[in-house]
Amino acid sequence: QVQLVESGGGLVQAGGSLRLSCAASGTIRSINAMGWYRQVPGQQRELVAIIVSGGITSYADSVKGRFTISRDNVTNTWYLQMNSLKHEDGGVYYCNAVLAPMYGRHGNYWGQGTQVTVSS
């Protein structure tokens, strides 16, 4: 059974940095895309950054130039390096993968979420 486990959230001052990690466990045949989403209370979950199997990345306009998504294909782990954090970057960050497990259905998988709080 595939699971995504996140780590790295926490409290940071504005202007600081955090790095989030997401590790996919289980027997996985392929991962087509790895991403990070953010959700704040009362709002929909929004895409922050994504990296697809060809290595192409895409970012929300609000984080371009400050956040970097990267991956380790050997360990099925991906990261979100967040620099120059702003108060509005706070929220619960969820990692996401579009993947095909060895046994099971190809589809969307989510981590449990990790809280990022940026103090002003």
Side-chain angles (χ1 to χ4, degrees):
Q1 185 172 348
V2 174
Q3 286 188 317
L4 305 187
V5 179
E6 303 163 6
S7 59
L11 172 65
V12 64
Q13 286 189 331
S17 298
L18 280 176
R19 190 174 86 148
L20 306 182
S21 301
C22 183
S25 64
T27 306
I28 298 169
R29 185 163 0 116
S30 63
I31 302 180
N32 303 111
M34 303 164 168
W36 291 95
Y37 289 71
R38 177 178 61 225
Q39 189 167 25
V40 297
Q43 296 186 21
Q44 288 189 332
R45 198 171 295 186
E46 61 177 4
L47 177 66
V48 175
I50 190 168
I51 183 166
V52 298
S53 56
I56 297 171
T57 58
S58 182
Y59 297 91
D61 287 343
S62 61
V63 307
K64 283 180 181 176
R66 299 187 297 119
F67 289 14
T68 302
I69 188 170
S70 61
R71 65 183 183 183
D72 181 338
N73 289 333
V74 175
T75 61
N76 287 335
T77 303
W78 56 107
Y79 307 92
L80 185 68
Q81 178 66 44
M82 305 186 291
N83 298 330
S84 302
L85 281 161
K86 304 176 181 179
H87 181 261
E88 53 266 36
D89 293 324
V92 179
Y93 282 71
Y94 295 89
C95 65
N96 169 270
V98 179
L99 61 83
M102 189 62 70
Y103 307 102
R105 298 183 64 178
H106 179 275
N108 245 334
Y109 290 77
W110 293 91
Q112 79 282 3
T114 186
Q115 178 72 46
V116 171
T117 303
V118 183
S119 62
S120 304

